[in-house]
Amino acid sequence: MLPLSKKGGNGNMAGRALILGGGGPVGIAWELGLAAGLAERGVRLADANRIVGTSAGSFVGAALATGRPAESFVRAQVEQAARERGPKADRAPPDLGPLMRLMAQRPATGEMPRALLSEIGAFALAAETMAEEQFIASFGSIAGDTWPHGFACTAVDAEDGSFVVWEESSGVDLGHAIASSCSVPGIFPPITIHGRRYIDGGMRSGTNFDLGRNYERVLCIAVIGNLGLEFMKARAESEVAALRAAGVAAELIIPDANCREAFGPNLMDSRRRGDVALAGAVQGRAEGERIAAFWN
């Protein structure tokens, strides 16, 4: 387990943290669009002292931490979506049903039980998926980047259910770390790191907002679709409330109604990424004044 927080020399909370939740290809597109829209209003998310990503948020967090303009990633999402309207247009998105049935065993409150995480890990290890290297390569050039300073991402050990946070000092290349954080059980392969296999950090929590507990200000971004909207929103709000109770100034952004409509019913439906990224940019511009007052 790696350090989860940063403190000033006097032990007090220090700096700003950006925490990006998971949500499949749709979540990646929305978070990138949101970041681009906020940037148009003068909110630079990359200025965070710490960027922590879970699943989709791991890719987005790494992309932002490199310092590349979010707007360039939005263009890439739109271009990718246009390509997928061709031969892949009729290809159905992956079936999340088996995983969701396992996740439904999660308690309404409290930590995800290690035993259940191990059960989900066993399901992931038994699934037939693409090869690990093929999955890593699917993240494009960013998988080969050097580790961005201040970036961290989450994963879960597929065998024992333990939670890990990869960061610059972990001795893990960026491609393997992002892929492990994005390894949706049953859909993508568990990723081998230091002789262990790792799955999506969202299995512990879709947001992992508690990792910001030792920062002064934390911007929490949660990918929530229409399916289970009230439950997922309540869970995200409770995690933010826990940060505030610990003395952290925290703000939450979730998709607005227009974005949720663009999402469709399956967050794994990559064909929607162009429309979702553009909708996210619109929301980012609309959120700009509120978030600038908090962040800048």
Side-chain angles (χ1 to χ4, degrees):
M1 187 75 169
L2 297 170
L4 305 183
S5 58
K6 171 186 175 181
K7 293 186 179 181
N10 61 0
N12 295 325
M13 294 184 289
R16 295 174 293 181
L18 169 68
I19 304 186
L20 298 150
V26 165
I28 288 176
W30 176 69
E31 290 179 336
L32 288 172
L34 185 75
L38 286 169
E40 290 184 36
R41 297 295 186 260
V43 180
R44 279 182 42 86
L45 298 183
D47 289 343
N49 302 95
R50 179 79 152 175
I51 298 177
V52 183
T54 289
S55 197
S58 70
F59 176 85
V60 175
L64 295 177
T66 65
R68 300 170 190 165
E71 192 269 336
S72 68
F73 290 104
V74 172
R75 287 199 306 270
Q77 293 291 306
V78 172
E79 291 166 2
Q80 264 187 299
R83 288 194 295 270
E84 293 194 4
R85 292 192 191 104
K88 297 181 181 179
D90 295 328
R91 185 182 298 176
D95 179 14
L96 292 172
L99 175 60
M100 292 300 100
R101 286 190 284 275
L102 284 170
M103 293 292 289
Q105 301 176 41
R106 177 179 185 147
T109 59
E111 285 280 330
M112 185 74 156
R114 281 275 291 272
L116 180 53
L117 288 172
S118 294
E119 184 179 351
I120 293 171
F123 164 70
L125 291 168
E128 293 186 11
T129 66
M130 69 176 73
E132 291 184 46
E133 292 307 317
Q134 181 184 356
F135 183 48
I136 294 167
S138 72
F139 293 98
S141 61
I142 196 170
D145 282 353
T146 56
W147 197 279
H149 181 68
F151 170 69
C153 62
T154 67
V156 170
D157 188 302
E159 293 184 19
D160 65 17
S162 59
F163 180 62
V164 296
V165 179
W166 306 124
E167 59 184 4
E168 194 171 4
S169 62
S170 301
V172 182
D173 72 81
L174 187 62
H176 279 73
I178 293 173
S180 71
S181 190
C182 291
S183 177
V184 180
I187 308 297
F188 300 124
I191 301 299
T192 304
I193 297 175
H194 301 324
R196 306 286 296 182
R197 306 286 298 283
Y198 291 91
I199 59 173
D200 195 319
M203 298 303 99
R204 186 249 189 183
S205 164
T207 52
N208 291 305
F209 290 155
D210 60 311
L211 299 187
R213 61 186 175 270
N214 288 318
Y215 286 79
E216 289 176 321
R217 282 178 286 165
V218 180
L219 180 57
C220 302
I221 298 180
V223 182
I224 301 173
N226 288 309
L227 184 63
L229 171 63
E230 293 307 318
F231 173 79
M232 297 300 294
K233 181 182 177 183
R235 184 177 285 277
E237 288 174 343
S238 71
E239 291 187 23
V240 172
L243 287 176
R244 290 171 177 160
V248 178
E251 288 291 340
L252 172 66
I253 303 178
I254 66 171
D256 62 18
N258 183 55
C259 291
R260 294 198 307 273
E261 182 178 354
F263 283 9
N266 190 328
L267 296 179
M268 297 299 294
D269 191 350
S270 61
R271 298 170 298 183
R272 293 179 172 268
R273 68 178 79 201
D275 291 341
V276 169
L278 294 174
V282 171
Q283 182 179 359
R285 291 190 286 270
E287 293 273 18
E289 183 175 355
R290 176 175 77 93
I291 299 304
F294 168 75
W295 189 252
N296 295 341

